[in-house]
Structure formats: structure tokens, C-alpha cells
Amino acid sequence: MATITGSTASAYWTHKLEVIENSVDATNNTSSVTVDVYIGRGATAGASYMHGANISVTIGMTGCTSQTFTYKNSNRVDVAQGAWLKLGSVTFASVPHDSNGAKTVTVTSSFTNTISPASGSASGTMALTRSSFAVSYNANGGSGAPAAISRYEDSPAATIPTTQPTRTNYTFLGWSTSSTAT
């Protein structure tokens, strides 16, 4: 999870985003990402509540269409100094990765509202992940094993190299998942 803290036009209020990568779709090389949006009370003394706030929030993410929602509040909401009020969440279902499976996205947020401050914003980056593992080859005392390769989880099966290791007085019969195979 990445936490991105923004600024506002007031010393009283601040803005925060919590960005969470929910899942990875290895077949389509995308991630599902949720952004939780908060407004918080700064350390400066002043009003500690919002009453009648209608806060319009726009969230942007690299490679995706921006999303907007409105937090509507007709009741008094007390926000303690140093505390946060969650305004809402948006989920981007298919954030594209780069061809190598990695992706660093920029997340932006802006808001306008009917209380002071009139606007605020936050922007930051988060590295999306795609789990990978190495496939290595062991010539078991011989030489000429193929170089290790990296694979991503749920990606198509690796092609077994045609390179065959050699070892004096042995005949190579094929690869196994066990170094004691005969």
C-alpha cells in the first residue's frame, strides 16, 4: 500500500490517498487498484467540523480514465486534530502494466467543496508488482546448462531450451524437476 499526502489551500485541512493493489491479472498484464480518499485535520488550531459539505473528488491514474465522486454531508461531522475522515473509494479494475510486467503509476486527486478550503490536491507514485520466479537448470556435474530465465506467475509455460548439457560417460535424457532423477 502506498500513502500519498497532498496539500490544501488552508492550514486547517489536508488530503490523503491510500492506494492498494488488490490483484494482478497476469493474462492481461493488468492490476486492480483501489484508492481510498481522506480529508484530515491539520495540526493548526481552528474549526474542527464540517457541516453541509459537498466535496467533489476526481481521481486519476496513469493509463486509466479519471473517476469522480461526491461526498455529501448534511450533518455536522467532527474531525479531531490530526485525524482523518474517509470521503470514499474508487477502484480502477484494469490498470495496464508495462510489457515486462512492472508498472509505476501516478495517482492524482483533486477536490472542490462548499466549505473552506475550497480545493486541495494530492499526487504521488506507486510501483505495481507482478510476482515472478526464476527457472534454473542444473547440469548435475556436467557443463553447458542453459541460463536461468524469469517467469511471471500465471504466464504461459516456459519453453524448454534445446541446449543439452554434457558430462563425460553420461547421456542426456531430458530435464526433470528433481536433481536425483534417473
Side-chain angles (χ1 to χ4, degrees), residues 9-152:
S10 166
Y12 302 127
W13 299 99
T14 188
H15 189 45
K16 176 175 79 169
L17 307 175
E18 288 184 349
V19 186
I20 302 161
E21 184 176 25
N22 304 311
S23 62
V24 176
D25 179 345
T27 302
N28 294 311
N29 204 22
T30 61
S31 287
S32 168
V33 178
T34 296
V35 181
D36 294 331
V37 181
Y38 296 83
I39 191 166
R41 179 76 193 296
T44 304
S48 62
Y49 65 91
M50 294 187 301
H51 189 110
N54 289 319
I55 303 173
S56 178
V57 181
T58 301
I59 305 294
M61 184 164 303
T62 306
C64 299
T65 301
S66 295
Q67 297 187 44
T68 300
F69 70 89
T70 300
Y71 170 83
K72 293 183 179 186
N73 173 37
S74 58
N75 299 314
R76 178 181 169 128
V77 176
D78 290 315
V79 181
Q81 192 170 356
W84 296 97
L85 171 67
K86 186 175 179 178
L87 300 179
S89 298
V90 296
T91 298
F92 295 88
S94 298
V95 180
H97 290 215
D98 296 333
S99 60
N100 66 358
K103 179 72 173 185
T104 298
V105 293
T106 299
V107 183
T108 60
S109 174
S110 62
F111 71 88
T112 58
N113 63 50
T114 55
I115 61 169
S116 179
S119 64
S121 64
S123 179
T125 61
M126 177 183 181
L128 302 180
T129 58
R130 185 170 172 195
S131 297
S132 64
F133 58 91
V135 177
S136 59
Y137 300 90
N138 181 339
N140 286 344
S143 61
I149 58 172
S150 291
R151 301 298 296 166
Y152 292 105

Side-chain angles (χ1 to χ4, degrees), residues 163-181:
T163 304
Q164 294 185 0
T166 58
R167 184 174 174 188
T168 304
N169 297 323
Y170 285 83
T171 301
F172 179 75
L173 298 177
W175 295 106
S176 174
T177 58
S178 170
S179 62
T180 60

